[in-house]
Amino acid sequence: MKYNKLPQTDLKVSEVCLGTMTFGQQNSEAEGHAQMDFALDQGINFFDTAEMYSIPSHKETYGSTEKIIGSWFKKSGKREKVVLASKIVGPSPSFGYMREKLDFSPTSLQLALENSLKRLQTDHIDLYQLHWPERKTNFFGQHGFQVQTDEWQDNIHEVLVTLDGFVKSGKIKAIGVSNENPWGLMRFLEESKYNNLPRISTVQNPYSLLNRQFEVGSAEICHRENVGLLSYSPLGFGVLTGKFLEGLEKHPKARLNLFPQYNRYSSEQSIAATKMYHQIAIKNGLTLTQLALAFINQQQYVTSTIIGATSIPQLKENIEAFSIRLSEDILKEVDAVQAIFPNPAP
């Protein structure tokens, strides 16, 4: 396992990050504990979660993932072996059961952090992230920005002041954003630069062979401003394993069948692109999973790639893919498919 420095910190994180959003719904507590044991044994020291997990979030399962991680910390005594990341939800009409207000006000940030710490049974979170922006912008399947009625007023200075207080109190070590666009990322960096406030360490965004939008503007920011990308959905909800090329109906327990609302990775264009990537993999003696994960891993601005699995064999296969290095010729073949089907799954 290789490790990278988490930008703006002294923490070293594995290039593979264990995603945990299945714990509490698709995976039981015992299965979640087994995955964390296995991941740590493989050298993975970076776990990512969120207050809203498991996914999809329901009132009955809200916070279940953090509780499972917390019970593992208590049982194993291995909290200090893990770099732990979690997130506070942004505004959403669907999640009113979480708090009276879903915003990034000082009150909401304080309440969310304290509740996460309690569920996780720890006194600190290493990387605390804003799960999605407060303002109306394009994320979660939207290709581009559209002007919309927006009551949001720029509160980024206030957010950073509040997070600075958490850092000084020792409750968090670093901060990050998620599902963020270039304007938002630069706005946070600008505010911290001129007001001596904590700098954004990471941005957690979707990045895969089916969605390379991050390369358009955000990748340069990461390169020039020393911000790390935590890439999520590198396998496009399982589409980039190739298992759905034989038909969704053959995998009744797959996420795309259990949660059909996450259908952006199974569009006609996405499946067509996936078939072409599959041929590249076969031609070069690789599995599609290996091609997809190796491509993400060797991008210089990627600090860690978040992988999730519902079984140990899946997790093992995914981890092993990170030992593969793609040649320049393979990368050219990949770019040729991207030119035909640019970002079919935003």
Side-chain angles (χ1 to χ4, degrees), residues 6-30:
L6 198 68
Q8 322 303 331
T9 78
D10 294 326
L11 299 169
K12 287 188 176 181
V13 297
S14 49
E15 63 183 358
V16 182
C17 176
L18 180 66
T20 61
M21 71 179 189
T22 60
F23 299 179
Q25 201 158 164
Q26 287 182 273
N27 286 116
S28 66
E29 180 179 48

Side-chain angles (χ1 to χ4, degrees), residues 63-130:
S64 60
T65 302
E66 287 188 329
K67 289 177 182 177
I68 288 172
I69 295 172
S71 66
W72 181 79
F73 284 153
K74 183 177 181 179
K75 175 184 175 182
S76 68
K78 295 179 178 179
R79 169 65 185 95
E80 296 308 314
K81 294 183 179 295
V82 173
V83 178
L84 177 65
S86 193
K87 316 177 200 67
I88 175 177
V89 299
S92 171
S94 303
F95 304 141
Y97 50 82
M98 294 188 188
R99 274 184 302 284
E100 183 178 351
K101 287 187 176 182
L102 296 180
D103 60 13
F104 299 148
S105 65
T107 299
S108 293
L109 283 163
Q110 181 75 44
L111 183 59
L113 176 61
E114 294 298 338
N115 285 340
S116 285
L117 290 171
K118 183 177 180 180
R119 287 188 292 265
L120 290 161
Q121 300 192 52
T122 184
D123 62 358
H124 72 281
I125 293 172
D126 298 292
L127 176 65
Y128 197 55
Q129 304 157 98
L130 309 177

